[in-house]
């Protein structure tokens, strides 16, 4: 089946009104809103590396969009559209139908349009998505900006996806296959959070990026980590490993002043928030358990391990 037939059959849809030119030409044309900045990110998923080979096509389609929207959420941006680069070993119509439906299900839930991309053949299934979003001039939340005394917060639960990966068939596999990008929360944090990142490679490693960019340290309370009941039944070290190093959570980790946290708490939030620590002057990441220092060495996901 020809490339353009695949695009026409599975991926071409009517775009938003501000997309002047979408799928079907050499490039897409989008009209930017006034006084907005363009936020751009890209992620690649490789079969067998970023998802099990037997993952349902619908879940792969959903996740390929969701992980990118999570990056936009981490900047406080409103998602707008995506570009898809799809490399296929073969043309499997059942797989393409499921994949495209999962992709559009995620797009539709978060108000996103597919406006272009590329399709080709390769030995390994590879999906690369570029996501575009908008944010008011100067309002983007970066990794640099954490202040001494800020709370460290996370949304939702952490460790679910890593546990689900090791226990396929468990209900927590749903969190691995269908992550929820916290787009609404990210936008609510504009003007309140001092720094932010999404948790893709493990909380400890990703929080470390904030600490390095902000030139600060952190004290994390292990007994405050928001974990599922399934993890609470495990040995503490194993539960902490899932929560701190497992990755694939796509929750938001952010720093915020106590005053701004009170203001945030008065808003209508669509996901629970947990204070798990505070920013300190001493550099590095320290752990405490039940009020006492608890040395712990954890490493997050390594892309070239």
């Amino acid at each position: 089946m020809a490339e353009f037939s695949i695009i026409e059959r599975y991926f071409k849809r009517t775009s938003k009104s501000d997309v002047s030119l979408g799928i079907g030409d050499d490039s897409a044309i989008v009209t930017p809103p006034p006084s907005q900045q363009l936020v751009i990110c890209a992620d690649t998923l490789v079969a067998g590396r970023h998802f099990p080979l037997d993952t349902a096509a619908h879940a792969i389609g959903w996740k390929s969009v969701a992980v990118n929207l999570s990056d936009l959420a981490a900047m406080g941006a409103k998602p707008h559209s995506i570009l898809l680069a799809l490399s296929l070993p073969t043309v499997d119509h059942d797989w393409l139908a499921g994949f495209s439906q999962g992709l559009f299900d995620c797009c539709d839930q978060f108000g996103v349009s597919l406006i272009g991309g590329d399709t080709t053949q390769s030995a390994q299934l590879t999906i690369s998505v570029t996501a575009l979003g908008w944010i008011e001039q100067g309002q983007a939340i970066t990794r640099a900006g954490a202040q001494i005394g800020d709370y460290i917060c996370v949304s939702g639960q952490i460790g679910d996806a890593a546990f689900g990966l090791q226990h396929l068939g468990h209900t927590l596999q749903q969190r691995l296959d269908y992550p929820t990008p916290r787009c609404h929360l990210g936008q609510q944090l504009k003007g309140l959070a001092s720094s932010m990142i999404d948790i893709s490679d493990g909380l400890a490693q990703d929080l470390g990026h904030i600490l390095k960019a902000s030139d600060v340290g952190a004290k994390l309370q292990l007994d405050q980590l928001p974990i599922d009941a399934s993890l609470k039944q495990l040995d503490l070290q194993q539960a902490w490993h899932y929560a701190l190093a497992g990755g694939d959570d796509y929750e938001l980790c952010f720093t915020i002043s106590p005053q701004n946290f009170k203001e945030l708490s008065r808003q209508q939030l669509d996901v629970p928030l947990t204070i798990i620590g505070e920013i300190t002057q001493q550099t590095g990441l320290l752990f405490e358990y039940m009020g006492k220092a608890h040395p712990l060495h954890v490493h997050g996901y390594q892309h070239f391990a």
Side-chain angles (χ1 to χ4, degrees), residues 193-215:
S194 54
S195 67
M196 185 155 60
I197 192 170
D198 76 323
I199 305 171
S200 56
D201 296 332
L203 171 62
Q205 181 166 298
D206 289 327
L207 175 57
H209 296 319
I210 286 180
L211 303 185
K212 181 177 180 180
S214 301
D215 194 25

Side-chain angles (χ1 to χ4, degrees), residues 25-26 83 95 98 128 143 145 180-181 197 216 223 247:
D25 219 301
D26 290 312
L83 303 169
W95 188 92
S128 294
R143 300 176 183 182
T180 303
I197 192 170
V216 293
D223 48 304

Side-chain angles (χ1 to χ4, degrees), residues 142-294:
T142 69
R143 300 176 183 182
Q147 302 294 313
I148 297 168
D150 280 354
Y151 292 151
I152 302 168
C153 302
V154 292
S155 63
Q157 293 182 170
I158 52 176
D160 291 359
F163 182 89
L165 179 61
Q166 297 301 317
H167 301 81
L168 297 178
H170 191 279
T171 54
L172 288 182
Q173 184 183 343
Q174 186 79 358
R175 292 271 287 143
L176 171 70
D177 292 342
Y178 292 93
T180 303
R182 303 303 183 183
C183 298
H184 182 60
L185 174 62
Q187 293 169 68
Q188 287 180 293
L189 286 166
K190 289 182 296 185
L192 296 175
S194 54
S195 67
M196 185 155 60
I197 192 170
D198 76 323
I199 305 171
S200 56
D201 296 332
L203 171 62
Q205 181 166 298
D206 289 327
L207 175 57
H209 296 319
I210 286 180
L211 303 185
K212 181 177 180 180
S214 301
D215 194 25
V216 293
K219 186 182 296 183
L220 214 60
Q221 305 299 325
L222 294 169
D223 48 304
Q224 297 301 315
L225 297 176
I227 59 175
D228 188 79
S230 298
L231 275 70
K232 292 178 181 178
Q233 297 174 11
L234 303 174
D235 171 82
L236 281 176
Q237 295 291 332
Q238 190 176 12
W240 291 338
H241 175 77
Y242 283 129
L244 295 171
D248 252 2
D249 293 306
Y250 299 102
E251 296 292 349
L252 295 181
C253 174
F254 61 94
T255 60
I256 187 169
S257 69
Q259 180 179 351
N260 283 354
F261 185 81
K262 288 181 180 179
E263 183 176 340
L264 177 65
S265 300
R266 289 193 286 267
Q267 298 186 35
Q268 186 71 36
L269 302 173
D270 60 3
V271 60
L273 302 179
T274 305
I275 300 171
I276 59 170
E278 66 175 331
I279 295 297
T280 63
Q281 184 171 10
Q282 181 179 348
T283 58
L285 178 57
L286 302 178
F287 299 97
E288 287 189 351
Y289 179 63
M290 305 300 288
K292 296 182 180 180
H294 191 98

Side-chain angles (χ1 to χ4, degrees), residues 94-167:
D94 288 340
W95 188 92
L96 281 165
F99 173 82
S100 59
Q101 187 62 58
L103 180 144
F104 284 123
D105 283 348
C106 190
C107 285
D108 291 345
Q109 182 163 325
F110 295 97
V112 171
S113 292
L114 173 63
I115 61 172
D118 188 34
T119 305
T120 190
Q121 186 175 27
S122 69
Q124 192 167 20
L125 172 63
T126 305
I127 305 113
S128 294
V129 171
T130 299
L132 314 175
W134 306 112
I135 195 164
E136 296 85 353
Q137 187 83 26
Q139 288 293 302
I141 307 169
T142 69
R143 300 176 183 182
Q147 302 294 313
I148 297 168
D150 280 354
Y151 292 151
I152 302 168
C153 302
V154 292
S155 63
Q157 293 182 170
I158 52 176
D160 291 359
F163 182 89
L165 179 61
Q166 297 301 317
H167 301 81

